[in-house]
């Protein structure tokens, strides 16, 4: 008896050829106000993508040149009203332009955090709100040899959290040098 042979077909798209050139200019500033209690960090970038060679070699009718702005900011205030309250907020406006995909709608990420410190009891209470005003999204058009495909979705990347921290032993609650947003990685990118 001859063993039965099984055939498995695998379909794999071929890689695109051609060059994509990406250029960008980015400016960033960090300023402090009110005796270093209020900190403003602001970044603004201009991006330019040259897809002309890539599109020509692959027969793609997408935009040969893509230009867009991207920005982010991080605001923090330490010891608000001298009541041991720290507030921080982070926001970023970004696009999903990449290779043969073009953004239809910019993405806005944001994160707000408030922390109250109780030095006598060595307690901290923090409230963090993530993307509560607008849900992050993906809305882009991807071009290929047959035409294009538009994909749009809203991400379930939002919510709120509250945390309680109690310190024990000889520790004292110290004034943080990093904001809550910096400690939490800014909410992602």
């Amino acid at each position: 008896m001859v063993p039965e042979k099984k055939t498995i077909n695998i379909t794999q798209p071929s890689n695109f050829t051609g060059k994509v050139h990406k250029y960008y200019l980015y400016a960033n500033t960090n300023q402090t106000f009110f005796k270093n209690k209020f900190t403003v960090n602001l970044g603004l970038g201009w991006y330019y993508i040259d897809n002309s060679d890539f599109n020509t070699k692959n027969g793609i009718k997408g935009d040969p040149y893509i230009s867009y702005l991207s920005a982010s900011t991080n605001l923090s205030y330490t010891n608000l009203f001298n009541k041991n309250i720290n507030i921080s907020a982070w926001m970023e406006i970004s696009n999903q332009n990449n290779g043969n995909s073009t953004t239809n709608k910019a993405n806005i990420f944001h994160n707000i955090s408030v922390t109250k410190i109780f030095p006598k009891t060595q307690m901290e209470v923090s409230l963090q709100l993530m993307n509560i005003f607008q849900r992050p999204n993906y809305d882009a058009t991807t071009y290929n040899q047959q035409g294009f495909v538009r994909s749009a979705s809203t991400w379930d990347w939002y919510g709120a959290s509250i945390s309680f921290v109690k310190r024990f032993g000889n520790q004292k609650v110290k004034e943080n040098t990093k904001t809550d947003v910096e400690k939490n990685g800014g909410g992602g990118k």
Side-chain angles (χ1 to χ4, degrees), residues 40-69:
V40 177
N41 181 280
L42 178 65
L44 179 65
W46 175 72
Y47 295 79
Y48 180 81
I49 302 174
D50 178 355
N51 283 337
S52 57
D53 182 64
F54 177 86
N55 289 357
T56 301
K57 288 186 177 174
N58 294 288
I60 294 175
K61 294 181 176 59
D63 294 332
Y65 306 101
I66 301 170
S67 176
Y68 63 96
L69 292 173

Side-chain angles (χ1 to χ4, degrees), residues 11 16-17 21 29 45 59 66-67 72 74 77-78 83 85 97 101 115 122 127 134 140 143 151 161 169 178 185:
T11 303
F16 288 107
T17 59
H21 296 281
T29 184
I66 301 170
S67 176
S72 68
N74 189 357
Y77 199 100
T78 303
K83 299 289 185 185
I85 298 172
N97 292 316
S101 292
T115 300
Q122 297 186 13
L127 173 66
Q134 180 178 330
Y143 295 89
S151 300
S161 68
K178 286 188 174 182

Side-chain angles (χ1 to χ4, degrees), residues 6 18 26 34 55 67 77 94 155 179:
K6 293 184 180 182
Y26 202 84
F34 309 122
N55 289 357
S67 176
Y77 199 100
S94 62
W155 301 337
T179 66

Side-chain angles (χ1 to χ4, degrees), residues 121-137:
T121 59
Q122 297 186 13
M123 288 279 299
E124 292 180 21
V125 178
S126 294
L127 173 66
Q128 187 175 42
L129 306 172
M130 296 153 285
N131 299 317
I132 58 166
F133 297 114
Q134 180 178 330
R135 308 292 183 261
N137 68 82

Side-chain angles (χ1 to χ4, degrees), residues 62-126:
D63 294 332
Y65 306 101
I66 301 170
S67 176
Y68 63 96
L69 292 173
S70 186
S72 68
T73 186
N74 189 357
L75 310 171
S76 65
Y77 199 100
T78 303
N79 201 12
L80 184 66
F81 306 123
N82 293 321
K83 299 289 185 185
N84 293 315
I85 298 172
N86 297 338
I87 298 176
S88 61
W90 169 82
M91 184 176 78
E92 176 181 291
I93 301 171
S94 62
N95 292 281
Q96 295 100 5
N97 292 316
N98 193 6
N100 59 327
S101 292
T102 305
T103 298
N104 298 313
K105 182 179 177 185
N107 219 340
I108 300 174
F109 298 97
H110 58 279
N111 191 343
I112 301 167
S113 180
V114 179
T115 300
K116 169 68 176 155
I117 300 171
F118 302 93
K120 290 182 182 179
T121 59
Q122 297 186 13
M123 288 279 299
E124 292 180 21
V125 178
S126 294

